Every structure is written in structure tokens, then in C-alpha cells.
Amino acid sequence: MNDERIKVGIIGGSLRNRWASATHIPALIESKNHQITAVATTNMASAQEAARQLGDIEAYDHYQKMLASDHVDMVVISVKAPFHKEIVQEAIRANKHLYCEWPLAADHREAEMIMKELKQSPVKHAIGLQSRQSDEVKLVKQMIDHDEIGRILSVHMKVSTQAKGNWVDQASSYILDRRNGATLLSINGGHALDIATYVLGPFTEVQASHHRHYTEARLTDHDGTVDKNTEDQYLIQGKIKGYLPISVHLQGGAYPEFCLEIQGECGVIRLTQPKSIGHPQYGGLRVALAKYDSSQSIASSKPDDFIVVKEDESKAPFTNVYRAHQSFAKDILCHTRETPDFYEAWKLHQLITAIERSAITGEKVSM
């Protein structure tokens, strides 16, 4: 890449934004391809505080004011999902390149409106599906592409998190209202399903059921409870590329885990997250492999059949976000298209919508 630096404005750049302050801000500071030039929050005091910490840059108390700045080429949208659609659309109209956190919008309908807006725009766009930047995910894809375990027979994935069950803190309580688009299926499920489709290919059919054990959640930092209308379990089965069976179990309010197991004729690949909170996009993944000439040669399973072939020891969740920004900078400066973008987000929104439709109707849905 050339020495040009992309001038970046961060929407939701408060130092109290736990995600932005732990990932986007340090990633952009460390980058040789970016320069943070502005920050926007909903409160001028917090915007000015962040601006002073980041080098006396422009501070705004509304993102629209920042979008009008000539000192911003690209915006990072790091706010809650229900605000994504409006900000994304206005950033497109302001002709700013944009990196938006997943999900692209609160629901399929809003995402469709964004895609219609995007058709008329030359701006570059990236979606925060940063699991694809993981060396471990890339290795699993490479192993599948090179038939490391022979013909693939089946895929199983489990994703669970202690959150999204029967407790929540006040700041996170919005995730328990389905209208806000930050559910177990869209967030934990969305990132995990993106790994599966990136590695193996697209779903061609799904059949699902969902379950809700809790209709309210206890507030951990205040007295009282909040209503909960989101599901805390999904059971999904389907096919990838028309022939490969896959089963997925998503669970909230449970012991945290991420495991993707791919069974082949000549072996098994396991992608796991040893210190999991149910968010594989954070990194810290491990790839383990068991290989054999034929399943007939395996009389019984043993723990030492699996050998760890790669384990992520980088700084999580910073590393994958940093890599995503480097990839997107290349797309902007060198006119490539290597970073997952809004078109990838749109496909994932369609898959999630199909799962929801199947869970409601009980019908199998073709993609």
C-alpha cells in the first residue's frame, strides 16, 4: 500500500464504549494507514474527553455534524444495532467509506433498505465479521479446500453464552428486546454462522426451532427485572451447498462454549475457543485435527487422537479487528475487495431471516 493515510471518524467513540476503546481506537492508533481525525458521541463532554485523549481531534455531539466534515474520509460505526440503519444510510449519502459493526441493521427489512441505498454509491464498505481475519479460521478453510480430511460427511456447531438468559445489567438490557436486533441468533449465531459459511460454503436449506426458558431477566446492577421477548435457544439443521448436513445449537444463559466440528471420511477438524464467552469473533481459537486412513481403522476414540495444529495466542479481541482495518485500508487505497462487506452482511441477514421463519412456521426453508 502507498503512504496515504485514511482520515477516520469514529461514531460511538466514547472512551466508555467498551468495544470501541478496546478494539477500534487502539487498532487505528497503531495503524500506519489510518489517522483518527474526529469522534462523535451523543454527549459533547464525552466527545471532547475522547478527543483530548486521542490528540486534540475534532469532537462532535452528533454524527451528522461529523459526516459533514472535510477531515473525515471514512467512518467507523460502533454503536448499538438499532441505530445502524440510519447512520449507515446517511454515511453513504455523505460519500464516506464506512466500517460498520455486525449486524448491519436491526432486521432484514432495514438491511434491505441499506442495500438499495448502496447500489447508487461508489463508497467502500466493510462489515465487522472479523472472525474471517483469524489465522485459525483461515487454516480450517485451507484444510477443507485441500481435502485434508477427505470428503466432508457432516458438520456440528455449538455456541453458548452465559448472557442472554435470565440476568442482565442495565446497560445491556436492550439485547433482550428483539426489536433491537442484538439477539442470541443475530449476534452469537451470526458470527458463528459466518465462520461456517466462510469455511464450507452457503446454506441451501434450513429447518429450525427456537425455545424461550425465560420471559424476564434479573438486573444485576439495579433492583428489579426487565421483560425479555427473545429466544434463549435455537436448534438448527440444514444443508450446505445442497448436500452437506449441518446441525447448530445456540444457547443463552448457559456454560460458555464455541465448537465447530467437521467430520470427514479420513479425519475430524475441531475449531474451538478454550476461554470462551460464546463470541468466536473475539479470537483465542484453537484448531485440533484427528486423521486416519479410514473410519474402519478407529476401534474406539481416544483423547490423544487429536493434535493441536494451531492456537491463537494473540491479543484478543484486538487482533482480529486490527487485521480487519488493515484489510479494509487496502481495499480503499488499492481498490481491492478482500474484506467482508455489506454484500456478505446481506447474505447473513437472509440466512438469519430464513432460520427465524423456519422456527416460527416449523417449515423447511430453501435458500
Side-chain angles (χ1 to χ4, degrees):
M1 286 187 282
N2 57 42
D3 294 331
E4 183 182 352
R5 302 185 79 185
I6 302 164
K7 298 189 289 292
V8 183
I10 303 173
I11 300 173
S14 168
L15 299 179
R16 294 173 182 80
N17 181 326
R18 288 174 290 182
W19 181 252
S21 62
T23 58
H24 292 297
I25 290 174
L28 294 166
I29 289 173
E30 187 169 316
S31 174
K32 296 179 180 178
N33 299 307
H34 300 89
Q35 178 185 2
I36 301 176
T37 55
V39 61
T41 72
T42 56
N43 179 282
M44 182 55 80
S46 68
Q48 289 174 336
E49 178 189 15
R52 286 192 297 270
Q53 292 279 345
L54 296 174
D56 204 22
I57 61 176
E58 294 178 355
Y60 297 97
D61 60 359
H62 199 289
Y63 72 87
Q64 289 175 326
K65 298 175 184 177
M66 192 180 79
L67 292 177
S69 173
D70 293 333
H71 299 122
V72 173
D73 304 319
M74 162 192 159
V75 294
V76 174
I77 301 171
S78 184
V79 298
K80 294 175 181 178
F83 303 110
H84 286 187
K85 181 190 80 76
E86 177 183 316
I87 298 174
V88 167
Q89 286 186 309
E90 295 202 37
I92 292 171
R93 293 165 191 161
N95 207 33
K96 306 294 185 184
H97 304 304
L98 61 162
Y99 181 119
C100 181
E101 285 292 347
W102 170 261
L104 180 58
D107 57 32
H108 178 271
R109 179 186 58 83
E110 288 188 354
E112 185 174 24
M113 294 170 69
I114 289 173
M115 299 311 294
K116 288 180 179 178
E117 188 93 40
L118 193 65
K119 286 182 180 180
Q120 311 301 322
S121 174
V123 300
K124 296 281 188 176
H125 40 93
I127 191 71
L129 294 171
Q130 67 269 20
S131 295
R132 299 192 190 196
Q133 306 299 331
S134 164
D135 288 340
E136 290 68 34
V137 171
K138 290 179 179 179
L139 175 60
V140 173
K141 178 173 175 56
Q142 183 182 46
M143 294 165 76
I144 297 300
D145 290 346
H146 289 83
D147 297 322
E148 183 78 19
I149 56 173
R151 184 165 66 103
I152 306 303
L153 303 176
S154 63
V155 181
H156 303 275
M157 184 163 65
K158 182 177 181 183
V159 187
S160 55
T161 175
Q162 63 176 350
K164 300 182 173 74
N166 65 336
W167 63 268
V168 70
D169 61 27
Q170 184 72 55
S172 301
S173 61
Y174 78 100
I175 68 176
L176 302 183
D177 185 339
R178 65 168 67 252
R179 293 171 298 180
N180 292 325
T183 65
L184 174 69
L185 177 59
S186 65
I187 301 298
N188 306 76
H191 283 286
L193 289 164
D194 183 63
I195 292 175
T197 55
Y198 173 67
V199 168
L200 296 158
F203 276 73
T204 47
E205 65 179 51
V206 293
Q207 189 158 16
S209 63
H210 58 201
H211 307 270
R212 189 187 309 164
H213 289 298
Y214 309 107
T215 57
E216 64 177 20
R218 175 175 54 86
L219 290 170
T220 58
D221 52 355
H222 291 78
D223 290 334
T225 61
V226 294
D227 291 337
K228 174 179 177 293
N229 61 23
T230 57
E231 277 63 40
D232 36 66
Q233 258 187 102
Y234 283 83
L235 299 171
I236 305 161
Q237 61 182 13
K239 289 186 180 178
I240 287 179
K241 294 194 291 191
Y243 65 88
L244 177 59
I246 180 171
S247 64
V248 180
H249 184 193
L250 308 177
Q251 187 170 7
Y255 185 82
E257 181 181 4
F258 169 76
C259 179
L260 172 63
E261 181 172 286
I262 305 169
Q263 174 76 57
E265 286 186 326
C266 300
V268 182
I269 298 171
R270 285 180 181 163
L271 178 68
T272 59
Q273 190 179 39
K275 297 179 180 180
S276 182
I277 60 171
H279 289 277
Q281 73 275 17
Y282 282 19
L285 301 176
R286 173 190 291 168
V287 182
L289 174 67
K291 290 193 69 174
Y292 40 80
D293 294 332
S294 165
S295 59
Q296 292 180 335
S297 65
I298 306 297
S300 64
S301 61
K302 302 183 293 294
D304 57 4
D305 287 339
F306 282 85
I307 299 172
V308 175
V309 294
K310 193 168 188 62
E311 186 158 13
D312 182 8
E313 297 179 352
S314 63
K315 183 180 178 182
F318 164 84
T319 302
N320 286 345
V321 175
Y322 174 80
R323 291 170 176 168
H325 277 298
Q326 295 304 298
S327 177
F328 189 40
K330 182 180 178 184
D331 289 345
I332 293 172
L333 298 174
C334 302
H335 307 289
T336 56
R337 189 183 164 190
E338 298 179 2
T339 316
D341 60 13
F342 288 4
Y343 294 106
E344 295 298 322
W346 173 237
K347 293 176 189 176
L348 190 52
H349 272 289
Q350 289 178 305
L351 173 58
I352 288 170
T353 300
I355 292 169
E356 286 281 24
R357 176 183 163 195
S358 177
I360 292 169
T361 65
E363 298 175 352
K364 182 185 297 183
V365 177
S366 297
M367 302 293 297

